[in-house]
Amino acid sequence: MAKIGYGRVSTRDQNPDSQRDALTEAGCDKIFIDKASGKLASRPELDKALDYARVGDTFVITRLARAARSLKHLIELAETLRERGIDLLVLKQGIDTSTPTGRLAFHMLGAIDEFQRELIVEGTHEGLASARARGRTGGRRPTLTATQVRMARQMYDSEEYTVQQIADTFHTSRATVYRALTDDGNFAYVVYRSGKTRTDADGRTYDETGQGDLSKEQLDADSKYWPLADHKRPHAKAMVYVVDGIVKRIRPIKNDLDAWKRHGNNWEIPVGAPILDPAEVAEQFPTLGLSVGDALPAQRGKLREHIAL
């Protein structure tokens, strides 16, 4: 049995030494540290820590907020550890899920943390709504307007202008023009599938595995064998799984191109293990306009589509 330590700091400027020292003092055999915002889905070191842990090990963190983005994520993490026979130890909050008292304290503190986060999100949304009502939408103004992008594409397609000439016309850089010509922007990859489990001759499971949304089998089936043009990979941000006409799961795609694996002409997309709840979807992908449980019937023959974000 081993103790696997995990820590997180929210920016690259913050120092993780205090967490590392606490985890070392607790007797951790292996320590993983992420440098990422608490609201981001991508936690590569957390994924490595969970992959490293084995039955009988103890997963050690200093505080609940170091490992979870939300109460739902916290409970999913604890359930995943429980199913794998791994205990959770939270040093600063005195939680040890190997005991009934520790499990109760874990759920109570998690609920309080989620309540505080919801208050912050609610205040932020009210402020944004107030700003929009006054005509202020926020965000960086795009370098090229939609009309200019169309004109740039027409100029390029005419084969009468170089990219540099197009850039000079709109007083911008060649890189901006290339993005306008080749990039359709960030998008969610929507896949339509049947609720029935299917297995091919190689033993690969398609669609729904029947093992539960949070199972490793379902995560594998959600990740593998998707066709996608190489230049679009940096702009794929979420996977939406529509099962029998209903949005079943929305998973984030990790922001790490090195984690993509090619299978012939298809990709294994590095989707995140956590399933986003409605608040997380609204926070991370406010223009998606979809949530778990929404009806989204597929047109006949449609298997996949992209929704711009």
Side-chain angles (χ1 to χ4, degrees):
M1 294 186 294
K3 288 186 175 180
I4 313 302
Y6 172 75
R8 179 185 60 80
V9 291
S10 59
T11 69
R12 295 189 179 276
D13 294 331
Q14 289 186 336
N15 195 324
D17 286 349
S18 61
Q19 292 182 62
R20 193 186 302 275
D21 291 344
L23 295 170
T24 300
E25 186 177 346
C28 292
D29 304 279
K30 186 79 171 179
I31 296 175
F32 300 82
I33 302 290
D34 264 322
K35 293 186 177 181
S37 168
K39 68 180 181 180
L40 295 181
S42 178
R43 304 268 186 93
E45 293 301 310
L46 176 58
D47 293 339
K48 291 178 183 177
L50 295 175
D51 288 341
Y52 185 86
R54 297 293 182 267
V55 175
D57 288 349
T58 300
F59 188 76
V60 185
I61 54 178
T62 57
R63 294 184 180 276
L64 292 174
R66 296 301 93 193
R69 306 184 318 277
S70 65
L71 177 59
K72 180 178 180 180
H73 183 210
L74 194 62
I75 294 174
E76 288 176 355
L77 175 62
E79 184 64 17
T80 298
L81 294 174
R82 186 190 66 78
E83 290 177 351
R84 295 177 55 191
I86 301 169
D87 290 325
L88 174 64
L89 178 62
V90 188
L91 301 176
K92 301 296 185 181
Q93 292 160 309
I95 296 173
D96 183 352
T97 60
S98 64
T99 68
T101 302
R103 287 192 291 272
L104 176 61
F106 167 79
H107 286 291
M108 292 178 63
L109 286 174
I112 293 172
D113 283 350
E114 175 70 0
F115 175 67
Q116 291 176 329
R117 180 174 178 273
E118 286 183 354
L119 289 179
I120 294 172
V121 171
E122 181 181 2
T124 301
H125 287 173
E126 288 177 352
L128 290 173
S130 177
R132 284 194 293 269
R134 290 167 173 77
R136 300 194 301 270
T137 58
R140 181 180 176 182
R141 181 173 296 177
T143 305
L144 296 177
T145 66
T147 300
Q148 288 173 327
V149 169
R150 287 195 297 271
M151 291 176 64
R153 287 175 175 166
Q154 290 171 359
M155 292 172 69
Y156 184 80
D157 291 340
S158 72
E159 299 183 354
E160 297 178 3
Y161 303 90
T162 66
V163 171
Q164 185 61 60
Q165 289 173 326
I166 298 173
D168 292 341
T169 300
F170 297 107
H171 306 288
T172 189
S173 66
R174 294 175 66 210
T176 298
V177 173
Y178 275 120
R179 282 196 296 270
L181 296 174
T182 62
D183 176 24
D184 293 327
N186 294 339
F187 65 92
Y189 197 169
V190 182
V191 297
Y192 296 89
R193 47 173 40 168
S194 167
K196 297 179 181 179
T197 301
R198 294 187 298 162
T199 305
D200 65 10
D202 297 325
R204 180 167 66 90
T205 302
Y206 291 86
D207 295 336
E208 301 300 285
T209 65
Q211 302 298 311
D213 289 347
L214 301 178
S215 66
K216 182 179 184 302
E217 292 81 2
Q218 190 61 62
L219 178 62
D220 288 343
D222 287 349
S223 301
K224 291 182 179 177
Y225 305 99
W226 302 113
L228 194 64
D230 190 68
H231 76 275
K232 287 184 172 291
R233 288 193 297 143
H235 309 290
K237 300 302 180 182
M239 290 287 286
V240 180
Y241 305 91
V242 182
V243 181
D244 297 331
I246 301 295
V247 177
K248 186 74 179 296
R249 290 180 302 284
I250 300 177
R251 297 187 189 270
I253 295 176
K254 298 176 184 178
N255 188 27
D256 181 6
L257 290 182
D258 291 336
W260 291 63
K261 299 178 182 178
R262 186 181 289 277
H263 294 273
N265 294 325
N266 297 324
W267 291 99
E268 178 178 341
I269 299 178
V271 294
I275 297 172
L276 302 180
D277 60 30
E280 292 168 331
V281 173
E283 182 179 350
Q284 296 184 38
F285 308 112
T287 60
L288 177 59
L290 293 174
S291 187
V292 172
D294 287 351
L296 191 63
Q299 299 175 11
R300 185 175 181 85
K302 178 188 287 186
L303 298 178
R304 295 170 292 271
E305 68 174 318
H306 297 171
I307 294 182
L309 296 176

